[in-house]
Amino acid sequence: MSDIVDATYKFLDTLDNSELIINLTKYKNNLLKNKDILKEIDNIKKETNNDIIISKRKQIFNNNDYKMYLKYYNELSLIILKINKKYQEYTSTREHNCG
């Protein structure tokens, strides 16, 4: 069992230092510094008109930092999904407890 625990910690350390996490953090921080993008996101949350919401989301998606953040976020989500599927397989459960 300690082999599994050791491998898990090694995986987490490798993930922490991976290009994926480094880039995800970089683009997240860039977005957090961009007051215009944050303001638009807040405006979208308050909007009720679906056409305006779609239009504003398209505008935000034109921002390179946002595109890249989503790219790396989706990659990480896929890794988590794979881990959850294996967890379900090993434990015969349908709960998503790993992510």
Side-chain angles (χ1 to χ4, degrees), residues 7-56:
T8 301
Y9 283 119
K10 184 176 179 180
F11 167 73
L12 292 173
D13 288 341
T14 302
L15 185 61
D16 280 343
N17 297 312
S18 70
E19 185 177 321
L20 185 149
I21 297 299
I22 291 168
N23 285 324
L24 179 67
T25 303
K26 171 187 164 185
Y27 291 111
K28 176 185 173 186
N29 289 334
N30 288 352
L31 288 170
L32 291 173
K33 293 176 192 172
N34 187 330
K35 300 301 178 197
D36 294 331
I37 292 288
L38 295 177
K39 184 178 177 182
E40 277 304 313
I41 291 171
D42 282 340
N43 289 339
I44 289 172
K45 290 178 183 177
K46 297 173 190 171
E47 185 60 55
T48 57
N49 182 317
N50 286 336
D51 292 332
I52 294 173
I53 292 171
I54 291 169
S55 173
K56 288 185 178 203

Side-chain angles (χ1 to χ4, degrees), residues 31 60-72:
L31 288 170
I60 291 173
F61 195 75
N62 285 331
N63 179 286
N64 188 59
D65 288 334
Y66 189 77
K67 274 191 240 185
M68 297 306 290
Y69 172 77
L70 284 181
K71 173 187 174 198
Y72 292 110

Side-chain angles (χ1 to χ4, degrees), residues 24 69-79:
L24 179 67
Y69 172 77
L70 284 181
K71 173 187 174 198
Y72 292 110
Y73 179 87
N74 288 335
E75 284 183 35
L76 181 59
S77 294
L78 183 60
I79 290 170

